[in-house]
């Protein structure tokens, strides 16, 4: 159907919720907005769906949430009754309509007699992952758009292990979602009836306490925290999101008492009024934390995104200013501390393994190798890290030590199967305490790593493709990289190309080998100076992302090399785009 036909279907609905009707009426005559909202449904995959809130089949609203949940319910209906009756855990963040969407999901599930366990208030994504495991539910639903701007919301689905749904099950759910074509005909149960029948349950403090008890296992050197943690000054900002609910309690329970929350950003506010983007990757997200940190002489500044799965940090430099750390730097310093502390405690297993995404820093590989620990690379998406953890627990051939992605996502202990900024906040505070005890800062710690292993530099850029033609433009760019493949970057030879869509690695000499990872639309180039460049379409946003990782003997040389390849990549993209 055309967007005009889809729009007409919505216009003709007589029983539409008043606020949706009002928003739909306000779009009348704006063909650009209507085309975006009605051209086609939001993509639904292993990460669920995410989009701008508003009327239409291509936006987040009560009806598209009902449709998504109907797909989940139909999938659960195909399973045995015992599995189905384990139900679904549901959480939500601080965004507009998040509470409403969560309860609508429970009502759709209830119409299928599927139990739901809905948090009494906003909770972080990692706690939802934990709740699935703790309550032994069949699935989980998280209403969040993570670090996107305030106009967005999203719907993430989790499997029984607490990780994001694997591709096979996700594909089944996607097909069921698409089969529920009439979003206005989806049945919903009455919430009071569901509560009375004990089909819909409200959860909260009971799960909080269990989660927090598990978080206490993340810290390694309790004596260090007793000696230094109580006095080390830390600033924490949840950026108006879920981190405030549990992050403050986790820090105190771990023994960190001398911290201050940025008061203006400790309010759960869907407007995110103090930031343009509630994203701890962006320097401006730290403006208020830096001001407060200078005032109080803080050693460490920590920010978590609205659903508290990502963590960013800034560290005090010798001149009193603060330096933001990249996701790769945070991961590297966490990993180095975990391995050092476990080795000192005699707790470093011989079969230990670290897991990272293929677009994350090779510095971590060097650090792991120095401790005799193997590094496993997986595709981007924390579900692939969760799959590795499940495999290790099943086969017992490896022990999971740490997992991360360069996009500010880390997991220390696998009682959660997704990125966990609460765990990461607690452990990063311990690492800062370790350096403080030695008269150093985390900034010094990063410099120590570079002095030992070489100066590593990474950068992620992207090309944005908005509008209804965005997907086609992204596909064209990826095909150009394959059909008109670059022969070099900035004059440096390409030693090998990994095409994850075919699962084949091809060297400059034409030799081929297979890539032992699932098929994916990703290209990775390995250059003769050990630089790597990776290109992939985003799974949640209309972007093609470009990743560059390099190293050299000095920081200036590494940055110069990075800038050289960034410009070469821009030149090539401009020539084919």
């Amino acid at each position: 159907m055309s967007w005009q036909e889809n729009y007409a279907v919505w216009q003709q609905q007589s029983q539409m919720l008043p606020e949706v009707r009002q928003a739909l009426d306000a779009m009348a005559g704006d063909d650009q907005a209507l085309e975006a909202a009605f051209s086609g449904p939001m993509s639904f995959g292993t990460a669920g769906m995410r989009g701008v809130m508003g009327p239409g089949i291509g936006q987040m609203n009560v009806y598209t949430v009902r449709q998504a949940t109907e797909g989940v319910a139909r999938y659960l209906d195909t399973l045995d009754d015992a599995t189905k009756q384990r139900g679904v855990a549901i959480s939500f963040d601080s965004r507009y309509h998040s509470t409403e969407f969560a309860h609508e999901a429970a009502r759709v599930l209830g119409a299928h007699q599927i139990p739901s366990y809905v948090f009494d208030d906003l909770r972080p994504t990692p706690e939802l992952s934990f709740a699935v495991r703790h309550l032994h539910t069949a699935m989980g639903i998280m209403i969040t758009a993570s670090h996107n701007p305030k106009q967005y919301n999203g719907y993430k689905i989790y499997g029984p292990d607490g990780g994001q749904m694997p591709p096979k099950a996700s594909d089944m759910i996607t097909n069921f979602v698409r089969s529920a074509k009439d979003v206005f005909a989806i049945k919903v149960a009455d919430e009071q009836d569901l509560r009375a029948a004990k089909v819909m349950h409200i959860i909260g403090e009971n799960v909080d306490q269990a989660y927090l008890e598990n978080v206490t296992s993340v810290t390694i050197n309790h004596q260090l925290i007793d000696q230094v943690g109580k006095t080390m000054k830390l600033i924490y900002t949840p950026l108006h999101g879920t981190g405030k609910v549990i992050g403050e309690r986790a820090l105190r329970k771990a023994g960190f008492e001398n911290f201050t929350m940025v008061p203006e950003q400790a309010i759960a506010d869907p407007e995110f009024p103090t930031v343009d983007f509630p994203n701890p990757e962006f320097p401006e997200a730290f403006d208020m934390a830096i001001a407060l940190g200078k005032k109080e002489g803080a050693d460490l500044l920590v920010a978590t995104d609205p659903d508290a799965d990502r963590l960013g940090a800034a560290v005090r430099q010798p001149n009193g200013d603060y330096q933001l750390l990249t996701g790769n730097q945070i991961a590297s310093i966490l990993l180095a501390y975990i391995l050092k502390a476990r080795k000192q405690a005699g707790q470093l297993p011989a079969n230990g393994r670290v897991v990272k995404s293929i677009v994350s820093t090779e510095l971590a590989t060097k650090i792991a190798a120095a401790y005799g620990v193997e590094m496993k690379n997986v595709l981007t998406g924390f579900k692939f890290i969760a799959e590795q953890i499940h495999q290790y627990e099943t086969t017992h051939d490896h022990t999971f030590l740490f997992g991360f992605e360069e996009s500010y996502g880390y997991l220390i202990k696998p009682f959660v199967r997704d990125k966990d900024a609460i765990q990461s906040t607690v452990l990063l505070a311990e690492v800062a305490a370790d350096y403080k005890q030695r008269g150093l800062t985390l900034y010094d710690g990063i410099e120590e790593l570079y002095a030992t292993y070489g100066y590593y530099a990474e950068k992620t850029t992207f090309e944005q493709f908005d509008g209804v033609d965005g997907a086609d433009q992204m596909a064209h760019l990826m095909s150009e990289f394959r059909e008109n493949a670059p022969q070099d970057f900035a004059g440096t030879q390409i030693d090998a190309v990994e095409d994850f869509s075919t699962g084949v690695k091809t060297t400059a000499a034409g030799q081929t080998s297979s890539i032992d990872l699932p098929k994916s639309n990703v290209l990775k180039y390995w250059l003769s100076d050990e630089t790597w460049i990776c290109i992939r379409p985003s799974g949640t946003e209309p972007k093609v992302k470009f990743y560059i990782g390099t190293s050299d003997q000095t920081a200036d040389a590494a940055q110069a090399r990075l800038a050289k390849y960034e410009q070469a990549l821009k030149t090539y993209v401009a020539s084919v785009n």
Side-chain angles (χ1 to χ4, degrees):
M1 294 173 67
S2 67
W3 71 260
Q4 292 93 339
E5 291 171 317
N6 288 323
Y7 175 43
V9 170
W10 279 58
Q11 278 187 307
Q12 293 162 11
Q13 289 300 317
S14 59
Q15 301 298 317
M16 187 178 292
L17 292 170
E19 67 174 41
V20 180
R21 170 62 67 187
Q22 183 178 2
L24 183 66
D25 291 344
M27 297 169 69
D30 187 343
D31 284 359
Q32 185 175 1
L34 290 170
E35 185 177 7
F38 289 98
S39 286
M42 283 178 289
S43 61
F44 193 100
T46 57
M49 65 183 186
R50 187 183 302 182
V52 172
M53 288 178 279
I57 61 174
Q59 301 195 113
M60 287 291 298
N61 53 69
V62 165
Y63 298 105
T64 51
V65 166
R66 287 179 180 176
Q67 182 186 38
T69 312
E70 180 67 16
V72 168
R74 291 183 185 184
Y75 166 75
L76 290 172
D77 282 341
T78 68
L79 307 180
D80 63 272
D81 193 60
T83 300
K84 174 181 171 179
Q85 289 307 311
R86 285 162 56 186
V88 179
I90 304 175
S91 186
F92 51 95
D93 68 8
S94 58
R95 292 174 181 273
Y96 284 117
H97 302 295
S98 285
T99 306
E100 176 188 8
F101 292 166
H103 284 251
E104 285 296 318
R107 294 178 66 202
V108 173
L109 293 170
H112 289 254
Q113 291 300 303
I114 298 171
S116 60
Y117 300 85
V118 185
F119 274 99
D120 58 355
D121 203 349
L122 65 161
R123 292 297 195 286
T125 289
E127 190 173 356
L128 183 277
S129 172
F130 173 79
V132 170
R133 298 174 58 79
H134 179 66
L135 299 173
H136 305 290
T137 62
M139 284 187 63
I141 295 171
M142 181 72 199
I143 305 296
T144 181
S146 191
H147 54 283
N148 281 79
K150 66 180 182 181
Q151 298 90 346
Y152 285 77
N153 214 324
Y155 185 107
K156 295 172 70 173
I157 52 175
Y158 289 80
D161 68 338
Q164 292 181 33
M165 293 294 287
K168 183 178 179 181
S170 176
D171 288 346
M172 289 181 65
I173 292 172
T174 299
N175 290 333
F176 282 126
V177 172
R178 296 289 168 255
S179 69
K181 296 184 183 299
D182 187 351
V183 298
F184 300 102
I186 294 168
K187 294 180 180 179
V188 293
D190 179 79
E191 186 166 327
Q192 288 187 343
D193 291 345
L194 292 175
R195 295 298 310 283
K198 300 189 183 306
V199 175
M200 179 180 176
H201 308 269
I202 301 300
I203 57 175
E205 182 62 23
N206 55 333
V207 179
D208 293 345
Q209 290 187 15
Y211 173 76
L212 287 166
E213 189 60 36
N214 276 269
V215 172
T216 61
S217 69
V218 169
T219 52
I220 301 172
N221 190 336
H222 302 290
Q223 184 178 6
L224 168 70
I225 297 172
D226 288 340
Q227 293 172 348
V228 184
K230 296 183 187 305
T231 58
M232 184 187 72
K233 188 63 183 176
L234 184 149
I235 301 295
Y236 172 55
T237 172
L239 296 178
H240 303 289
T242 61
K244 179 185 184 299
V245 179
I246 211 81
E248 180 178 11
R249 294 174 66 183
L251 282 167
R252 293 196 189 281
K253 193 172 180 67
F256 297 99
E257 300 174 0
N258 191 24
F259 69 89
T260 303
M261 299 185 76
V262 178
E264 300 89 343
Q265 295 177 328
I267 300 167
D269 189 337
E271 283 290 317
F272 306 117
T274 64
V275 290
D276 291 329
F277 298 94
N279 188 342
E281 299 181 42
F282 294 169
E284 53 268 28
F286 278 87
D287 287 349
M288 293 185 122
I290 288 173
L292 186 58
K294 288 182 176 180
K295 180 180 177 181
E296 300 197 4
D299 301 282
L300 173 65
L301 315 178
V302 173
T304 54
D305 68 343
D307 67 323
D309 63 348
R310 285 179 168 85
L311 171 145
V315 296
R316 190 172 59 191
Q317 299 179 92
N319 65 1
D321 290 335
Y322 287 91
Q323 173 68 47
L324 267 68
L325 302 182
T326 68
N328 283 315
Q329 289 173 326
I330 295 170
S332 297
I333 204 163
L334 286 173
L335 174 61
Y337 179 77
I338 290 169
L339 298 181
K340 180 191 77 169
R342 292 193 67 155
K343 183 176 182 180
Q344 290 175 345
Q347 298 174 353
L348 189 61
N351 66 346
R353 185 179 264 188
V354 177
V355 188
K356 73 176 184 68
S357 70
I358 59 173
V359 296
S360 299
T361 183
E362 288 301 309
L363 173 58
T365 306
K366 278 269 189 90
I367 294 168
Y371 286 88
V373 172
E374 185 179 342
M375 178 66 73
K376 174 67 176 178
N377 286 285
V378 296
L379 294 175
T380 301
F382 230 84
K383 60 182 174 289
F384 296 111
I385 295 176
E387 285 179 2
Q388 291 295 310
I389 297 170
H390 179 72
Q391 178 183 319
Y392 304 158
E393 290 182 342
T394 302
T395 63
H396 306 289
D397 55 352
H398 294 287
T399 299
F400 174 78
L401 295 176
F402 182 63
F404 77 97
E405 294 183 323
E406 49 74 41
S407 54
Y408 296 75
Y410 331 93
L411 181 64
I412 295 98
K413 289 294 183 75
F415 58 84
V416 165
R417 296 298 164 91
D418 204 350
K419 304 177 289 291
D420 191 339
I422 306 301
Q423 287 192 44
S424 307
T425 295
V426 170
L427 186 64
L428 190 62
E430 181 179 344
V431 179
D434 180 59
Y435 282 104
K436 185 175 179 65
Q437 188 180 51
R438 294 160 51 193
L440 302 172
T441 67
L442 279 177
Y443 177 81
D444 299 315
I446 295 292
E447 291 300 314
E448 279 187 356
L449 292 180
Y450 287 152
T452 303
Y453 300 105
Y455 286 83
Y456 282 73
E458 298 86 19
K459 189 167 186 179
T460 303
T461 61
F462 63 87
E463 285 282 317
Q464 186 91 15
F465 297 91
D466 292 317
V468 294
D469 297 327
D472 290 339
Q473 292 170 348
M474 291 165 65
H476 170 73
L477 180 58
M478 292 302 296
S479 69
E480 285 293 326
F481 269 99
R482 291 187 169 97
E483 296 169 14
N484 298 300
Q487 302 304 304
D488 63 72
F489 286 103
T492 305
Q493 177 183 312
I494 298 172
D495 277 356
V497 180
E498 293 175 323
D499 189 339
F500 292 85
S501 69
T502 60
V504 175
K505 179 178 181 177
T506 306
T507 68
Q511 297 174 321
T512 60
S513 58
S514 61
I515 302 169
D516 187 24
L517 288 175
K519 301 289 195 298
S520 184
N521 188 15
V522 182
L523 288 165
K524 190 170 185 179
Y525 302 88
W526 293 93
L527 309 189
S528 59
D529 63 358
E530 297 186 355
T531 296
W532 57 267
I533 295 172
C534 193
I535 301 127
R536 57 176 283 270
S538 170
T540 57
E541 299 170 290
K543 297 176 179 178
V544 173
K545 291 188 171 183
F546 307 95
Y547 305 81
I548 308 171
T550 192
S551 63
D552 213 315
Q553 295 303 306
T554 68
D556 287 344
Q559 288 296 330
R561 184 177 283 183
L562 189 69
K564 176 179 72 173
Y565 291 125
E566 182 183 4
Q567 184 56 52
L569 195 56
K570 284 181 179 178
T571 301
Y572 177 81
V573 170
S575 71
V576 300
N577 207 1

